[in-house]
Amino acid sequence: RKEVEQDPGPFNVPEGATVAFNCTYSNSASQSFFWYRQDCRKEPKLLMSVYSSGNEDGRFTAQLNRASQYISLLIRDSKLSDSATYLCVVNMGNYYGQNFVFGPGTRLSVLP
Amino acid sequence: DTEVTQTPKHLVMGMTNKKSLKCEQHMGHRAMYWYKQKAKKPPELMFVYSYEKLSINESVPSRFSPECPNSSLLNLHLHALQPEDSALYLCASSQESNSPLHFGNGTRLTVT
């Protein structure tokens, strides 16, 4: 089993749609969780950290379920500019600055 | 805009060349990372420096040699690379174990 798994994608959705991405992780001792977006031929950029109580940033909502070792990202009212690859990242270390594990990514295309 | 600066942005080198990639951050982060990313794959960890000491080497071939001259700088020395080493090389930094990674723009390396 891979350490971090994501929906295989790609997701092709019309503008204005709501889309949800799922991510599961294998290490129950994982400490912190993040969603990054990556545009073609660019570096990954932090979209949002994921907190235990769930958190929202505008059209984006992230949820964490530690019992099920599951993270989700919901995008409402999709824009063309949301087209990117979304990477689930889990910090599986319990000591300083190590062991960020990346999921394989899910590609989203928002269509006009 | 990124607070982690990488140079050069692009590099083409022959298999007998020696070159270096450079990374700089002024956020006071104590961990710095080198990742390698091939097309349509997530970033793959190469090295981690924590407080200027090499803490993780993910079985990277010796033709890649990292160096951390001080807490703000990270270099990756390249020698006798192979064409399959062509990839996007990403530098990142982080503050604490529950803080996210901050990536530089990357160096796109082509080995001919």
Side-chain angles (χ1 to χ4, degrees):
Chain A
R1 181 185 172 190
K2 290 182 183 173
E3 291 184 288
V4 179
E5 299 193 71
Q6 294 185 240
D7 292 327
F11 283 45
N12 298 314
V13 303
E15 268 187 292
T18 295
V19 61
F21 300 135
N22 300 312
C23 171
T24 57
Y25 59 95
S26 60
N27 185 341
S28 60
S30 298
Q31 297 294 309
S32 51
F33 311 89
F34 310 94
W35 284 103
Y36 283 74
R37 69 167 281 165
Q38 187 171 25
D39 294 288
C40 189
R41 300 179 68 83
K42 299 281 192 181
E43 77 278 15
K45 293 192 186 225
L46 179 68
L47 181 63
M48 57 199 304
S49 301
V50 186
Y51 302 119
S52 296
S53 54
N55 46 300
E56 187 174 309
D57 182 2
R59 297 181 294 108
F60 300 86
T61 300
Q63 297 280 349
L64 168 64
N65 183 324
R66 285 187 185 270
S68 302
Q69 294 175 211
Y70 167 89
I71 306 156
S72 65
L73 176 68
L74 185 75
I75 305 176
R76 290 182 298 279
D77 189 22
S78 300
K79 311 290 185 194
L80 295 176
S81 56
D82 293 333
S83 297
T85 295
Y86 289 81
L87 295 159
C88 176
V89 181
V90 178
N91 185 355
M92 296 190 177
N94 58 6
Y95 49 96
Y96 183 74
Q98 295 186 11
N99 210 9
F100 289 87
V101 181
F102 284 73
T106 302
R107 172 90 191 131
L108 171 67
S109 292
V110 180
L111 308 172
Chain B
D1 291 338
T2 181
E3 295 176 76
V4 179
T5 304
Q6 287 188 245
T7 55
K9 289 194 187 318
H10 302 274
L11 178 61
V12 179
M13 61 186 289
M15 290 189 284
T16 58
N17 290 159
K18 284 185 182 180
K19 296 285 184 184
S20 296
L21 309 185
K22 297 187 182 300
C23 176
E24 187 170 3
Q25 59 89 12
H26 292 289
M27 294 181 282
H29 290 174
R30 294 305 186 181
M32 295 186 77
Y33 310 73
W34 280 115
Y35 285 86
K36 173 184 176 180
Q37 188 174 26
K38 303 282 273 185
K40 298 187 180 180
K41 297 287 188 183
E44 178 185 329
L45 182 65
M46 300 176 73
F47 302 105
V48 181
Y49 274 83
S50 180
Y51 287 94
E52 302 166 44
K53 289 191 168 58
L54 183 64
S55 58
I56 291 181
N57 175 344
E58 290 285 358
S59 303
V60 179
S62 60
R63 57 186 185 269
F64 295 91
S65 174
E67 179 197 14
C68 188
N70 60 54
S71 59
S72 300
L73 293 175
L74 187 65
N75 299 323
L76 186 62
H77 303 297
L78 315 172
H79 174 54
L81 295 194
Q82 304 296 309
E84 59 265 28
D85 295 323
S86 299
L88 179 67
Y89 287 83
L90 292 159
C91 175
S93 67
S94 71
Q95 178 61 305
E96 300 168 352
S97 59
N98 289 331
S99 297
L101 288 169
H102 295 258
F103 284 94
N105 289 334
T107 294
R108 190 158 298 279
L109 174 68
T110 303
V111 182
T112 60

